[in-house]
């Protein structure tokens, strides 16, 4: 059981990025049963029983030793424990997933934190894995679990499912994209901290997350406004992020900004790729847009939305996937002022009677941040669980400070609420 990583997957090895899912529960949770559920689901995904190893000029997935297979870990704590897990990496050569159940002392509150290497996952498969673990837990608690046939074959990379293409056409598309982006280099938001290594005396820098959460009413009104204006919620949020970023750049007038949007490939391949298949099935699209401090937000949203629609109509999302391996030679291909992901409306876990789900989160993280660069994109990860829209703003405190990110989050929130009203 060994598989070479495709060039696009090899990019994720270098980035060391991962999806971190968490859910907060009130009520009884049986750790031994949850551990059994996690091991059972893991055994049905052969990818989760592998590790990344060097192979020639790239890497491959190879079997994990039995003693190193991922198993549920238990610990006590609260919000700080979540951040500690969020900052715990998945090193190359080790397990590609980690599950930790954090029990809050003196209460029946628990938080499950599930980290998955981006080499083998995207948002859809990460959420599907979390839900599968809780489905199995519920079945074990209720006595309805059934034996499933073991799966031994590793799923192939998503790039192998793309329609055939002429290499010369792909090279031509790459040249066009490099030339296009080169004509309009995007501005990046400067960091507001220095690279001393500590934000305060005795306090080490780390990844943190600022969160914006709308209630169900505001979320519904925002969707209604988007429909009335003929744009998507994703386009509205992208426009808000671009304007908020523009206000944090020096100078007046119009600047060229870039918005990077991950594009889901699962539903756009034939046949579609199931959400439960553990592969990274996204490509990245950068569009450049002129933005001034007084740019009309709805016009900007229409332009951003039209850019995504045109990409899909032309079939360029497939071409973008084919040129992804060229990113190290042409980093500007995916360098945006903002990165706005959007999972759309997704379903959270279903639990056994007596245990209540109070929150679900999906936050991307990576291991390498570069404060010495002086500026970088700002990321906004958008999900909607249980009818509530959430935007997660992960950042490293050596780059963007806590006050900077709190102010940015609050400004985004005020803009979205104004649109909703």
């Amino acid at each position: 059981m060994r598989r070479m990583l495709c060039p696009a997957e090899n990019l994720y090895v270098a980035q060391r990025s991962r999806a971190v899912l968490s859910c907060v529960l009130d009520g009884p949770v049986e750790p031994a049963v949850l551990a059994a559920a996690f091991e059972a689901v893991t055994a049905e995904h052969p990818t989760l029983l592998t590790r990344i190893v060097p192979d020639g000029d790239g890497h491959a997935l190879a079997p994990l030793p039995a003693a190193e297979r991922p198993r549920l870990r238990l610990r006590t704590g609260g919000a700080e424990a979540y951040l500690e897990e969020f900052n715990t990496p998945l090193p190359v050569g080790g397990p590609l997933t980690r599950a930790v159940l954090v029990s809050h002392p003196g209460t029946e509150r628990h938080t499950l934190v599930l980290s998955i290497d981006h080499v083998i996952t995207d948002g859809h498969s990460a959420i599907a894995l979390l839900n599968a673990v809780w489905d199995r837990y519920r079945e074990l608690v209720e006595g309805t679990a059934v034996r499933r046939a073991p799966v031994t074959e590793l799923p192939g990379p998503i790039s192998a499912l793309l329609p055939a293409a002429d290499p010369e056409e792909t090279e031509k598309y790459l040249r066009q994209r490099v030339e296009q982006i080169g004509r309009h280099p995007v501005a990046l938001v400067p960091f507001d901290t220095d690279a001393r290594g500590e934000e305060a005396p005795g306090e080490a820098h780390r990844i943190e997350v600022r969160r914006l959460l709308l209630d169900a009413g505001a979320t519904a009104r925002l969707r209604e406004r988007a429909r009335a204006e003929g744009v998507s919620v994703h386009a509205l949020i992208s426009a808000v992020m671009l304007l908020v970023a523009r206000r944090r750049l020096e100078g007046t007038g119009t600047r060229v900004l870039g918005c990077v949007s991950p594009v889901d490939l699962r539903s756009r391949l034939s046949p579609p790729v199931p959400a439960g298949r553990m592969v990274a099935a996204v490509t990245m699209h950068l569009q450049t847009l002129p933005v001034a401090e007084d740019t009309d937000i709805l016009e900007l949203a229409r332009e951003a939305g039209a850019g995504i629609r045109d990409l899909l109509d032309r079939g360029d999302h497939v071409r973008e996937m084919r040129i992804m391996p060229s990113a190290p030679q042409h980093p500007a291909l995916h360098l945006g002022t903002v990165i706005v992901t959007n999972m759309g409306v997704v379903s959270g876990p279903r639990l056994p009677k007596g245990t209540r789900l109070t929150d679900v989160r999906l936050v991307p993280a990576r291991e390498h941040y570069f404060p010495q660069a002086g500026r970088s994109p700002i990321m906004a990860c958008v999900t909607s669980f249980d009818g509530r829209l959430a935007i997660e703003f992960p950042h490293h405190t050596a780059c963007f400070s806590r006050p900077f990110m709190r102010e940015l989050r609050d400004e985004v929130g005020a803009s979205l609420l104004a649109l909703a009203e």
Side-chain angles (χ1 to χ4, degrees), residues 220-240:
R221 291 192 296 274
L222 185 65
R223 291 187 187 133
E224 290 169 4
R225 180 67 187 276
R227 282 194 294 269
E229 300 293 345
V231 298
S232 66
V233 173
H234 176 78
L236 278 182
I237 295 173
S238 297
V240 168

Side-chain angles (χ1 to χ4, degrees), residues 77-263:
E80 190 63 28
Y82 166 78
L83 271 178
E84 289 174 11
E85 295 301 329
F86 190 76
N87 278 272
T88 303
L90 291 170
V92 172
L96 298 177
T97 186
R98 181 178 62 252
V100 180
L101 181 66
V102 181
S103 297
H104 301 232
T107 71
E108 280 200 322
R109 170 161 289 196
H110 309 271
T111 303
L112 178 67
V113 185
L114 180 63
S115 301
I116 314 168
D117 199 303
H118 198 2
V119 171
I120 62 163
T121 196
D122 52 25
H124 288 289
S125 56
I127 292 170
L129 180 65
L130 176 70
N131 290 347
V133 169
W134 285 111
D135 283 344
R136 190 61 50 85
Y137 174 81
R138 189 185 68 254
E139 292 170 1
L140 291 171
V141 168
E142 296 174 351
T144 60
V146 297
R147 182 180 296 275
R148 290 161 171 84
V151 179
T152 58
E153 184 177 353
L154 287 171
I158 208 70
S159 56
L161 302 179
L162 301 180
D166 182 349
E168 291 185 4
E169 179 194 348
T170 301
E171 183 62 30
K172 178 182 177 182
Y173 181 78
L174 173 62
R175 290 196 302 269
Q176 291 173 342
R177 287 292 285 154
V178 171
E179 180 184 356
Q180 177 190 33
I181 292 170
R183 290 197 306 266
H184 306 286
V186 304
L188 300 180
V189 176
F191 297 149
D192 73 319
T193 61
D194 58 34
R196 293 173 300 167
E198 289 185 337
E199 184 163 74
E203 183 177 6
H205 282 300
R206 65 181 183 180
I207 312 168
E208 294 194 354
V209 190
R210 302 275 85 77
R211 189 188 197 200
L212 169 63
L213 182 64
L214 301 186
D215 62 29
T219 300
R221 291 192 296 274
L222 185 65
R223 291 187 187 133
E224 290 169 4
R225 180 67 187 276
R227 282 194 294 269
E229 300 293 345
V231 298
S232 66
V233 173
H234 176 78
L236 278 182
I237 295 173
S238 297
V240 168
M241 288 297 303
L242 286 166
L243 283 166
V244 168
R246 175 63 190 91
R247 297 178 192 125
R248 282 153 179 78
L249 296 172
E250 294 181 352
T252 60
T254 300
R255 301 288 295 274
V256 175
L257 306 189
C259 182
V260 173
S261 299
V263 179

